[in-house]
Amino acid sequence: DAKTTQPPSMDCAEGRAANLPCNHSTISGNEYVYWYRQIHSQGPQYIIHGLKNNETNEMASLIITEDRKSSTLILPHATLRDTAVYYCIVRVNYGGSQGNLIFGKGTKLSVKP
Amino acid sequence: SQTIHQWPATLVQPVGSPLSLECTVEGTSNPNLYWYRQAAGRGLQLLFYSVGIGQISSEVPQNLSASRPQDRQFILSSKKLLLSDSGFYLCAWNDLGGRTYNEQFFGPGTRLTVL
């Protein structure tokens, strides 16, 4: 079972920031927070990951609370092409079955013009 | 650069017929390989993963099986399909120990309809 809880859906206006929350209250000290997204009828795409510090790359920013029990993925200027299902996943960063990605139901983000 | 291929892209099969889906990866060696299934309206479910030739781990018991006859080839099979096997099948890879380990790279998928 997924170790994360996400809202099933969110809307965002084009050009505005999209803030997608994720709860992971049972996260272990060696587990990272990963975000993937899946555009309709395509395979998932990696976005970003982090352990406890905030992270930023060309796609998004990841804000992790100090107690690591929740995080927020931020798309700073959402476009229509960002419409997708966004998955928040916690996993360890080494091999074996514990390192496998376990996908929950994610948040369906709809970016509207 | 690395690429991942899956075929066929779409497949319609009758109940009770056999299944063989193929996935190949180019541009890397000894990758971890994964099979996922996404049923209509549901999340991705990990079915099998492999860390090397002939090494298969099953995550969910079912009438499907997987094989890895070559380093960069991963095959998903069934002897007799069920209606519940319909879905979107995705193959993925990553590189344990390499810089790509933090990501899994997914193929284009096979949409299977069992009638």
Side-chain angles (χ1 to χ4, degrees), chain B residues 3-114:
Chain B
T3 55
I4 179 169
H5 304 279
Q6 285 186 247
W7 60 90
T10 60
L11 190 60
V12 180
Q13 292 286 96
V15 169
S17 64
L19 173 73
S20 181
L21 303 181
E22 188 165 345
C23 170
T24 58
V25 181
E26 296 177 356
T28 187
S29 59
N30 197 31
N32 294 329
L33 295 171
Y34 305 83
W35 277 113
Y36 291 85
R37 176 173 62 199
Q38 189 168 36
R42 303 185 67 179
L44 279 150
Q45 181 185 37
L46 178 63
L47 302 175
F48 301 95
Y49 70 97
S50 171
V51 299
I53 295 174
Q55 300 179 62
I56 309 294
S57 296
S58 174
E59 290 293 298
V60 183
Q62 55 207 314
N63 69 319
L64 299 172
S65 62
S67 62
R68 185 169 176 174
Q70 300 180 44
D71 181 43
R72 289 168 290 175
Q73 184 185 30
F74 206 22
I75 297 173
L76 184 70
S77 304
S78 175
K79 292 182 179 178
K80 288 187 178 181
L81 283 169
L82 306 172
L83 287 174
S84 58
D85 291 324
S86 293
F88 190 42
Y89 287 81
L90 288 156
C91 180
W93 75 274
N94 66 0
D95 178 13
L96 179 60
R99 68 176 183 86
T100 61
Y101 183 67
N102 288 323
E103 302 183 41
Q104 278 189 18
F105 300 91
F106 286 80
T110 295
R111 191 161 299 282
L112 171 66
T113 303
V114 182

Side-chain angles (χ1 to χ4, degrees), chain A residues 70-85:
Chain A
S70 66
S71 60
T72 301
L73 179 75
I74 301 173
L75 308 179
H77 306 286
T79 70
L80 299 178
R81 288 175 294 181
D82 292 322
T83 292
V85 178

Side-chain angles (χ1 to χ4, degrees), chain A residues 8 17 24 26 31 43 45-46 56 64 73 75 77 87 90 94 106:
Chain A
H24 31 80
T26 61
E31 288 181 317
Q45 175 191 23
Y46 165 84
T56 296
I64 303 174
L73 179 75
L75 308 179
H77 306 286
Y87 297 99
V90 296
Y94 50 81

